[in-house]
Amino acid sequence: MTELFLQSIRKLVEFTPEETEQFLSCLKRVCIPKKSFHLKAGEICTSVAFINSGMLRAYYTVNGEDITGEFIFEGNWISDYPSFLTKTPGKLYVEALEDSELFVLDYNKLQWLYTQSQNSERFGRLIAENLYIHLNNRIFSFLTEKPEDRYKNLIKRRPNVAERIPQHYIASYLGVRPESLSRIRKRMAAGDIS
Amino acid sequence: MTELFLQSIRKLVEFTPEETEQFLSCLKRVCIPKKSFHLKAGEICTSVAFINSGMLRAYYTVNGEDITGEFIFEGNWISDYPSFLTKTPGKLYVEALEDSELFVLDYNKLQWLYTQSQNSERFGRLIAENLYIHLNNRIFSFLTEKPEDRYKNLIKRRPNVAERIPQHYIASYLGVRPESLSRIRKRMAAGDIS
């Protein structure tokens, strides 16, 4: 049941069996049915959560418009990390697009884990570094790439997005209107965009 | 000579005297004269650097346009962190706007420090977390605030920006043309914007 979780951890750090046990003992299993919310803007996010199965969409609402920040699939972590770290109200909505099973780790438990071993600190550092790299890449993609290039890169690098995410959410992720994404897809199908 | 550096470290972690000594022994003092570059886009960034005195501007060039990412003053760290972490060519130019003295910490030395103590890992985690929070706030400011609000908040929160940075760089940081910033400043001086 925790195999995916352990695989994900092993990519970052080599926990001892005791450290692994300690980490696992801090997790709480939570099920989020499709279309339900895991996080809501305005509330303080008090946990990070590993997605053991399912998929969620994280989005912001800016001037009444819905901006998709990220799609998060099984095997990854989800949090409103700035809210979690600063204990201030979050800006993120996180909604399950599929029935999802999460392993939730509360703020106090994570802070306690950090005090328990150098490996736990390393784990936290690498998670934060990866988040920073990802956010930076996402900004750069917006600053420097055309929407059609963003779309091509997205479906190339993350085929599960094309397979499992409705088109209007992909449009929102790319920062274009659904009708623009339709045009891009038609031009790609016609071979106008390679 | 290292008092500012030690103060900055103490805000994040409580190093033992031995850990502090270890950290200090890894630093290399580098002077960057005004208008010289500390980092250039296209090159792999191999260090993080603490600014002991002076001030630098980090910027990107996108479609021939210069976008100011950040102004970094004494007491803070500067790096092209995604390039540093992934060992890929950087996107950032970092130019000294004042004569600057840096304490430079090379990649290998930092990785070695991380292996030496839990406190070093903690230091790295907190730095990465703070960078993430800062980048996130910056994006949100762009998504949700008008240029005049971004300007007001900037000079309120960081008076040294208004005092030490030329107006055209402030405009580039706010994502507006210099003439738009002039208009905002005039309206503020006339009391049209409180």
Side-chain angles (χ1 to χ4, degrees):
Chain A
M1 205 187 89
T2 55
E3 194 41 48
L4 187 64
F5 175 76
L6 296 176
Q7 270 175 28
S8 146
I9 296 279
R10 275 195 294 266
K11 283 183 197 159
L12 297 176
V13 284
E14 285 183 48
F15 276 144
T16 64
E18 293 73 28
E19 285 167 353
T20 303
E21 204 45 59
Q22 209 169 39
F23 215 104
L24 287 174
S25 72
C26 290
L27 301 177
K28 192 175 70 185
R29 184 173 165 272
V30 174
C31 290
I32 314 276
K34 184 174 173 172
K35 293 190 180 173
S36 301
F37 283 88
H38 169 55
L39 299 177
K40 284 190 178 174
E43 296 172 4
I44 295 175
C45 169
T46 59
S47 68
V48 295
F50 179 81
I51 303 168
N52 195 44
S53 67
M55 190 261 293
L56 302 97
R57 181 174 79 100
Y59 67 94
Y60 305 95
T61 304
V62 177
N63 302 326
E65 204 160 341
D66 169 326
I67 299 176
T68 296
E70 201 43 77
F71 306 112
I72 315 103
F73 293 83
E74 65 280 335
N76 294 285
W77 292 84
I78 175 65
S79 177
D80 186 332
Y81 214 42
S83 167
F84 175 80
L85 294 172
T86 60
K87 296 185 171 180
T88 53
K91 291 164 179 159
L92 210 57
Y93 293 89
V94 177
E95 180 188 18
L97 295 191
E98 299 173 0
D99 289 341
S100 301
E101 182 188 48
L102 272 54
F103 297 153
V104 173
L105 180 54
D106 282 334
Y107 181 89
N108 289 339
K109 287 190 177 164
L110 182 57
Q111 302 309 313
W112 176 77
L113 280 171
Y114 285 150
T115 66
Q116 295 301 296
S117 78
Q118 191 164 346
N119 266 336
S120 297
E121 284 286 3
R122 169 164 293 229
F123 169 80
R125 171 172 66 81
L126 295 173
I127 287 274
E129 288 177 356
N130 287 340
L131 281 171
Y132 185 79
I133 293 168
H134 184 76
L135 184 59
N136 210 73
N137 287 343
R138 186 121 164 78
I139 297 167
F140 250 86
S141 154
F142 264 90
L143 284 174
T144 59
E145 291 173 352
K146 291 179 203 160
E148 58 200 48
D149 293 327
R150 289 206 291 278
Y151 180 63
K152 268 197 303 183
N153 290 335
L154 180 68
I155 56 174
K156 190 172 145 193
R157 286 183 205 144
R158 301 177 62 187
N160 52 5
V161 168
E163 285 158 19
R164 289 163 64 181
I165 310 273
Q167 291 302 314
H168 64 290
Y169 289 144
I170 296 183
S172 156
Y173 180 82
L174 296 170
V176 299
R177 305 247 158 235
E179 45 282 19
S180 305
L181 180 55
S182 286
R183 274 195 297 275
I184 290 171
R185 283 162 54 85
K186 275 184 197 150
R187 288 175 58 201
M188 280 179 73
D192 292 347
I193 306 174
S194 59
Chain B
M1 204 186 87
T2 55
E3 194 40 51
L4 188 63
F5 175 76
L6 296 175
Q7 269 176 27
S8 147
I9 296 280
R10 275 196 292 266
K11 282 182 198 160
L12 298 175
V13 284
E14 283 184 48
F15 277 143
T16 64
E18 293 73 27
E19 286 167 351
T20 302
E21 205 45 58
Q22 210 169 38
F23 215 103
L24 287 174
S25 72
C26 289
L27 301 176
K28 192 175 70 186
R29 185 174 165 272
V30 173
C31 290
I32 314 277
K34 183 175 174 173
K35 294 192 180 173
S36 301
F37 283 89
H38 170 54
L39 298 177
K40 283 190 178 173
E43 296 171 6
I44 295 174
C45 169
T46 58
S47 68
V48 294
F50 179 81
I51 303 168
N52 195 44
S53 67
M55 188 262 292
L56 301 98
R57 179 175 80 100
Y59 67 94
Y60 305 96
T61 305
V62 176
N63 301 326
E65 205 159 341
D66 168 325
I67 300 176
T68 296
E70 202 42 80
F71 306 111
I72 315 104
F73 293 82
E74 66 280 333
N76 294 285
W77 292 83
I78 176 64
S79 179
D80 185 332
Y81 214 42
S83 167
F84 176 80
L85 293 172
T86 60
K87 295 186 172 180
T88 54
K91 291 165 179 157
L92 211 57
Y93 293 88
V94 177
E95 180 188 17
L97 295 190
E98 299 173 0
D99 290 338
S100 300
E101 182 189 47
L102 273 54
F103 296 154
V104 173
L105 181 53
D106 282 334
Y107 182 89
N108 290 339
K109 287 189 176 164
L110 182 57
Q111 301 310 312
W112 175 78
L113 281 171
Y114 285 151
T115 67
Q116 296 302 297
S117 77
Q118 190 165 347
N119 266 337
S120 297
E121 284 286 3
R122 169 164 293 229
F123 168 80
R125 171 171 67 82
L126 295 173
I127 287 275
E129 288 177 356
N130 287 340
L131 282 171
Y132 185 79
I133 293 167
H134 185 76
L135 185 58
N136 210 74
N137 286 343
R138 185 117 165 81
I139 296 168
F140 250 85
S141 153
F142 264 90
L143 284 174
T144 59
E145 290 172 353
K146 292 181 202 157
E148 59 200 47
D149 293 327
R150 290 207 290 280
Y151 179 63
K152 266 196 305 184
N153 289 336
L154 179 69
I155 56 174
K156 189 171 148 194
R157 286 184 204 144
R158 300 176 64 187
N160 52 4
V161 168
E163 284 158 18
R164 289 163 64 181
I165 310 274
Q167 291 303 314
H168 63 291
Y169 290 143
I170 296 182
S172 157
Y173 180 83
L174 296 171
V176 299
R177 306 245 158 236
E179 46 279 21
S180 304
L181 180 56
S182 285
R183 274 195 298 274
I184 291 170
R185 285 162 53 85
K186 275 183 198 151
R187 288 174 59 201
M188 279 180 71
D192 292 346
I193 306 174
S194 60

